[in-house]
Amino acid sequence: MFILTVLEGIVLLFYVGYLVREYSQQQVPFYVKLLTYISWILSFGIVFIIPHDIYYTMNDYGDGYDYTVLLWKWIYWGNFILCWLILPICQEYEDAGEFSFKDKLIRSFKNNLIIYAYFLLFGLIFIAYLAIFNKLDFNSILKVLVALAYAFGILLVVILLGHGLVAIPREYWRKAQYQKCLKALYLEAAQINHTIQELNIQLFNMTIELIQNKQLNPNQQCIDHILNEIPYEIIEDASHKLLDIIEVKQLSSFCEINKKAKKRAAEYKRAKTKWDHICTECFLLEDMIDNEFSVHYKIRSTLRYPKSGQFGHYVDILEWLWYTKIKKAYLLSLCVIFSILSSIVILSEISCFTEFDFNILSRIINVNGFMHTQISILIPLMYISFCAFYGLFHINFAGMYGFYNHQQTDAPSLMFGSINFSRVSFPLTFNFLQMIHIQGTPFEDVVGNMDTSSVLGMSFSYSLPILLIMASIFNFFEVYDKILQVVGLPQFKFSQTQFNSEEGERLICKARVKRERDVLNKVGIKFLDQCEMRELDSRMIQFV
C-alpha cells in the first residue's frame, strides 16, 4: 500500500513538472512556474487521493480516514488561497503594462479590487432580494449562496465533459485518417500563415511609431523597454523602412502600448513556432502516405536518409512498419477504447441526476481490497479528469489567454489556467462520488455536501444530464464552433478557424523545398537517388 502511494506521488510530481515545462515560455519568471506547479499538483493530485478516500470510507480505517481528512484540508485551503488571492494578483501583475515593480503591483491590486467590488455589489443586491422578496433568514441565504457556487462548478464540469468526452475519441479517429489529417493540417497551415502576416504588420507599424518617437525624445527609456519585446527581424525591417515615412504619430499611453507589444510579440513567436511544428507534421504525413505501399519497406524521402550502422537497415524497416501499419491500428484502438469509456461516463452521468439506472460505472467499481479499489477507480477517474481538463487546455481566448504547448504559454495564461483548474477540481470530485453512489467520505467532511437539489430543486438536477447530452451532440457536430463563427466570436472556440486547404498545401510545399535545401546543405546529395533529385529539381523550378 505504502509503495503504491509513493509511486503515485512520484508520477504526479514528474508529470506535472513535465507539463509546466512543456507549456510555459522560457522567459516566464521562476515564481510563476513554481506557483503553477504547486497549483497543478493540488488540482491534479486529487485524482490519486480519491481512491484512498473511498477505500478508507468503505473499510472504516480510522487512522487512514483521519489522515485523508487532514490531506483534504491542506488541498482545499491551499487551492482556495491560490485561486482567490495569490494567482489573481500574480496574473494581473504579469499582465500589466507598467514598467516598475511598484506600478505593476498597484495595477494588479487595483484591477482585483474592482473585480471583488463588483462581486460584492451584485452579491449584496442578490442577498437583499432574497431577504426582502423571498423572506429568507441568514442561514437560508447562506445555503442558497453556497448551492449557487457549487451549481456553477458542477455546471462547468458538465460543459467541459460534454466537450472532452466527444473531442478525445474523435481526435484519435482523425489522426488515424492520414489523408484527412493532412488536409486539416493544410487548412491550419493557411490560417497560421495568415496570422503570422497580420501580426508582422501590426508589430511593424508599432515599431515604426516607437522608433520615430524615440528619435524625437531620446530620453524615453520606456520605448527601449518596449522595443526589447519585439523580435529583432521586425525592428530591422522597420529601421530600413523608416526613411520613407515623414509623418510622426505621437504616442500617449506607453503602458498600454507595452502591454499590447508583449501580447503581439508573444503571439507572433507562438505562431512562428506552431508553423514549424505544422510543417514537420505535414512532411512526415506526406512521406507516410507516399511510402505506405513501398516495396523497399522504408520511408524514402528527400528529408530523410537511411540509418547507418549494423542494424540501420532493420531500424528503417521497423520505422516504416510503425508509421504505415502499426500506428494507425494503435490510434484506432485508442479511439474505440475512449469511445467506450465516454459512453460509460455519459450513461453514468444521466443516471446520477435522474431515476434511470444506467450507471455502469458504479457496477465496475470494486472496493474489496486496496489494489482493487485503486485500479477500478483510477482508470475511469483519470479518464473523466482527462476529459474535463482537456477542454481547459484547448479553449482559446484569442489575444487574451490560452494554453499553447512547445513552451509557448505566457505567464498570465498560466495563472488564468491554474485558477480554472482549481475551480473545476472539487466539483469534479463531487460529481465522481455522485456517479458511484458513495457518501460519508473524508472529502465531504472537509468540503461539505455539494448536493444542490435540496436548495435549487430537482429541476436543476434533471437539467444537467440534458445539458451534458446537448453539449456532447453540439461538440460531435461542431455546432458550438459554427455558432461562434456566425456571431463573429471565433476567438472563444475550442478549435481555430480554418482557411483554404489548397493555399495551405501550396505553402507547405514551399516550406518543404526550403527544408530540402537545408538537408542538402547538411548531408549533401549522396543520400538522394536520381528519381528523388529530379523530383526535387521540379519542385524548385515550380516554386522558387
Side-chain angles (χ1 to χ4, degrees), residues 340-366 376 380 384 430-438 465:
I340 294 172
L341 289 173
S342 293
S343 302
I344 292 174
V345 173
I346 290 174
L347 291 175
S348 299
E349 284 282 4
I350 293 173
S351 63
C352 178
F353 298 106
T354 64
E355 298 176 355
F356 299 100
D357 190 10
F358 299 132
N359 199 330
I360 303 174
L361 191 59
S362 63
R363 292 181 172 88
I364 64 177
I365 297 295
N366 186 352
S376 61
I384 292 172
F430 176 73
N431 181 246
F432 180 77
L433 293 174
Q434 274 188 311
M435 281 194 287
I436 60 177
H437 301 305
I438 292 180

Side-chain angles (χ1 to χ4, degrees), residues 177-194:
Q177 314 299 314
Y178 291 162
Q179 292 285 357
K180 292 182 179 179
C181 186
L182 182 59
K183 185 177 180 181
L185 286 173
Y186 286 153
L187 292 168
E188 195 172 359
Q191 177 203 343
I192 291 296
N193 181 71
H194 177 74

